[in-house]
Amino acid sequence: KAGVTQTPRYLIKTRGQQVTLSCSPISGHRSVSWYQQTPGQGLQFLFEYFSETQRNKGNFPGRFSGRQFSNSRSEMNVSTLELGDSALYLCASSPTSSSSYNEQFFGPGTRLTVL
Amino acid sequence: AQSVTQLGSHVSVSEGALVLLRCNYSSSVPPYLFWYVQYPNQGLQLLLKYTTGATLVKGINGFEAEFKKSETSFHLTKPSAHMSDAAEYFCAVSPANSGYALNFGKGTSLLVTP
């Protein structure tokens, strides 16, 4: 089985622009979560989608949004980029269909640099 | 809110020596606990997890961790370090039945010297 794929792997944007990152989960996985990783704040949970619905949300401003499609692929969008949004954005998928924990499989991440 | 503290942002061990990476959590209810490893320019890989049952958990690559409720700890150990173990290690906690929102520690960078 192919792993979690994220595109693009690297991205450079300027302040004020918006960006869309894509995540394709492992085939059959219905839950997709997004995390932001920075040297200063570490790994922080952004949101989680299951069956096209946002099920959990972290403490991020409204500039960060996401969605999930019927094929479980997910996108996250960041509008009005700030320098502090420079980070590695990680996507993780999980096969569970219940609320109990199941293993999350992480993709390689998208490295976003905001200039 | 649940949180995780990893003691020591950098740990250095000699090849063949014991690896001990410390993790303490704060939680009002028994959580789910995890250790992940991250190699340079890669995503996270699950080493092991504790949800319920046996408190000594064995994972991949010879790692294991013990859940100690009285000490609110979940330390990661490996009897003999290999050069290939050099990486960033993250402890994470998730409230039971919270879905998949993981709270991660700041990470510990493990250096293995010859």
Side-chain angles (χ1 to χ4, degrees):
Chain A
K1 258 186 181 179
V4 177
T5 58
Q6 293 187 244
T7 56
R9 289 293 311 277
Y10 301 90
L11 206 50
I12 299 176
K13 292 286 188 179
T14 57
R15 281 181 298 174
Q17 288 186 311
Q18 75 167 16
V19 66
T20 299
L21 312 182
S22 180
C23 172
S24 292
I26 293 171
S27 177
H29 288 196
R30 298 171 62 190
S31 168
V32 174
S33 298
W34 288 89
Y35 294 83
Q36 181 196 64
Q37 184 177 23
T38 60
Q41 298 299 317
L43 281 154
Q44 297 184 88
F45 172 74
L46 281 157
F47 28 64
E48 183 238 347
Y49 286 87
F50 178 77
S51 292
E52 302 178 65
T53 300
Q54 188 180 88
R55 188 161 62 174
N56 284 291
K57 188 178 188 303
N59 189 27
F60 277 81
R63 299 186 298 107
F64 292 82
S65 63
R67 60 177 175 170
Q68 186 181 34
F69 302 95
S70 59
N71 61 358
S72 294
R73 190 176 70 84
S74 177
E75 289 181 347
M76 68 163 282
N77 183 276
V78 187
S79 62
T80 319
L81 283 166
E82 301 177 358
L83 295 179
D85 297 332
S86 294
L88 181 66
Y89 290 88
L90 292 164
C91 168
S93 74
S94 179
T96 193
S97 61
S98 72
S99 61
S100 62
Y101 181 80
N102 216 328
E103 179 177 345
Q104 294 189 46
F105 296 81
F106 282 82
T110 294
R111 173 75 63 185
L112 172 64
T113 301
V114 182
L115 303 176
Chain B
Q2 305 201 342
S3 65
V4 174
T5 301
Q6 291 184 239
L7 298 176
S9 58
H10 294 83
V11 170
S12 181
V13 300
S14 299
E15 191 175 18
L18 171 71
V19 175
L20 171 60
L21 304 182
R22 300 177 186 274
C23 172
N24 289 87
Y25 68 91
S26 65
S27 174
S28 58
V29 297
Y32 294 160
L33 294 158
F34 314 88
W35 276 99
Y36 282 85
V37 62
Q38 186 177 35
Y39 298 99
N41 298 315
Q42 294 188 27
L44 301 174
Q45 180 183 16
L46 180 68
L47 282 175
L48 47 80
K49 66 183 180 185
Y50 170 79
T51 54
T52 59
T55 57
L56 182 62
V57 180
K58 294 187 184 298
I60 62 172
N61 301 339
F63 285 94
E64 63 181 37
E66 186 172 10
F67 170 61
K68 292 187 176 181
K69 184 179 178 181
S70 61
E71 299 177 8
T72 61
S73 69
F74 191 57
H75 301 331
L76 181 71
T77 60
K78 182 174 180 177
S80 177
H82 295 167
M83 297 296 290
S84 60
D85 294 328
E88 190 85 14
Y89 291 80
F90 294 93
C91 181
V93 62
S94 174
N97 297 323
S98 72
Y100 305 98
L102 292 173
N103 289 329
F104 284 90
K106 292 294 188 182
T108 297
S109 180
L110 177 65
L111 175 65
V112 182
T113 58

